[in-house]
Amino acid sequence: MNTMKSYFKNQILKNFDEASFNYNNEALLQKIFADKLAKSCSEQSIPKGIWVDLGSGTGLLANAIETFHPNHSVIRIDGSKAMLKQHSQKQKVQLWDLNLGLPEWTKKPTLIASNFALHWLVNPQGKLKEWFSALAPGGLLAIALPVEGSFPEWYEASSKAKVKCTATYLPSSTSLINAIQNKNIQYKQLERFTQQSKNVTSLLKPLVKIGAHSTQNDSLNVGEWRKVKRNWPLAPSTNELQLTWSIQILIARK
């Protein structure tokens, strides 16, 4: 991993460590999609065996899966020590840097699930192929994450302000879907989720509160941010400011 990628990885972990204590109170969007993904998984047949939540954070997805399957526990795997400390002692956790590949288990997992984590890793498409390959025959892969096409209002405002958009880069939906053979895909859905507020700060502040503000771009100065805020488009129907996410849900069976 080159120096820039190493710095970015460390920045990501630092931000999530710092946000771990308040994460569950602030990660409303992440909880919505953790519940959606867990429900979609419950509608599939998941073989008994090792179930893992990759990039589990505080365990929103693992908790939701266990709610639908109370007799089966999920191993929560994350690179942030502080996030894993938010789990109860009875829950199975594993500290692991997913950029290094996957941990070794006694058997191949029958469920690999991940919510709002894959896009923080180097080469998300390659990681997705790796995860699918690691499944036991008949095992299920279930992911949800923001993808390219998110934050159109932010990009528009930055373009009009003539400054670089500082949103983090996201993988394309197509690149993720193409990582898995079509015959293996059980379910795919690209959802749009729009947040509204009276001001830009209220739209972007939750990203900081949950530690999801890491970016590969240089920060803007105060003057540049003011230009972005002045150029943020208003929603014609409500006359409020918006921030729109594109979220890819993908479920595949090996």
Side-chain angles (χ1 to χ4, degrees), residues 114-132:
S114 182
N115 183 52
F116 279 66
L118 181 61
H119 59 295
W120 293 117
L121 302 178
V122 178
N123 187 12
Q125 183 185 35
K127 290 292 184 293
L128 191 58
K129 287 181 178 179
E130 178 188 349
W131 294 359
F132 186 75

Side-chain angles (χ1 to χ4, degrees), residues 13-245:
L13 290 177
K14 176 177 178 291
N15 289 340
F16 280 125
D17 279 344
E18 292 174 350
S20 60
F21 187 73
N22 292 314
Y23 187 88
N24 286 350
N25 293 328
E26 303 291 343
L28 302 180
L29 182 63
Q30 287 74 8
K31 185 168 191 315
I32 287 171
F33 280 90
D35 290 343
K36 280 177 177 280
L37 192 58
K39 185 176 187 301
S40 295
C41 286
S42 73
E43 295 165 355
Q44 303 282 337
S45 171
I46 311 174
K48 292 181 180 180
I50 296 173
W51 294 8
V52 298
D53 175 5
L54 301 182
S56 64
T58 57
L60 295 177
L61 177 58
N63 291 344
I65 292 171
E66 289 175 352
T67 297
F68 283 103
H69 302 86
N71 296 320
H72 206 115
S73 63
V74 179
I75 303 172
R76 298 115 189 280
I77 299 166
D78 203 276
S80 167
K81 290 181 182 179
M83 284 285 187
L84 293 180
K85 284 182 180 178
Q86 304 306 313
H87 297 250
S88 71
Q89 290 186 344
K90 68 178 182 180
Q91 292 165 335
K92 299 176 182 178
V93 301
Q94 187 171 3
L95 181 66
W96 185 264
D97 180 0
L98 290 167
N99 278 306
L100 302 178
L102 291 174
E104 290 188 8
W105 297 291
T106 54
K107 295 180 180 179
K108 288 189 172 186
T110 56
L111 173 66
I112 292 178
S114 182
N115 183 52
F116 279 66
L118 181 61
H119 59 295
W120 293 117
L121 302 178
V122 178
N123 187 12
Q125 183 185 35
K127 290 292 184 293
L128 191 58
K129 287 181 178 179
E130 178 188 349
W131 294 359
F132 186 75
S133 177
L135 284 168
L140 206 67
L141 173 71
I143 63 165
L145 72 157
V147 293
E148 190 177 76
S150 294
F151 319 134
E153 303 89 353
W154 192 350
Y155 278 96
E156 180 182 338
S158 299
S159 177
K160 288 180 177 178
K162 295 181 170 55
V163 299
K164 190 173 182 66
C165 183
T166 55
T168 193
Y169 300 133
L170 296 170
S172 72
S173 172
T174 303
S175 72
L176 297 174
I177 291 171
N178 288 345
I180 308 292
Q181 289 190 36
N182 192 56
K183 67 179 182 180
N184 297 111
I185 295 176
Q186 306 290 297
Y187 176 82
K188 60 182 177 182
Q189 181 69 34
L190 185 62
E191 296 200 14
R192 304 274 283 180
F193 189 92
T194 300
Q195 299 166 306
Q196 294 194 125
S197 181
K198 298 290 186 185
N199 61 75
V200 174
T201 302
S202 296
L203 287 173
L204 298 180
K205 198 170 185 180
L207 294 174
V208 178
K209 287 185 175 179
I210 65 170
H213 56 295
S214 302
T215 177
Q216 301 93 327
N217 298 304
D218 293 333
S219 300
L220 301 183
N221 61 40
V222 174
E224 289 171 328
W225 263 118
R226 284 175 179 162
K227 288 180 182 178
V228 172
K229 290 177 181 179
R230 284 199 301 269
N231 284 281
W232 204 280
L234 284 171
S237 56
T238 61
N239 212 35
E240 286 195 329
L241 303 174
Q242 295 182 325
L243 185 66
T244 302
W245 298 69

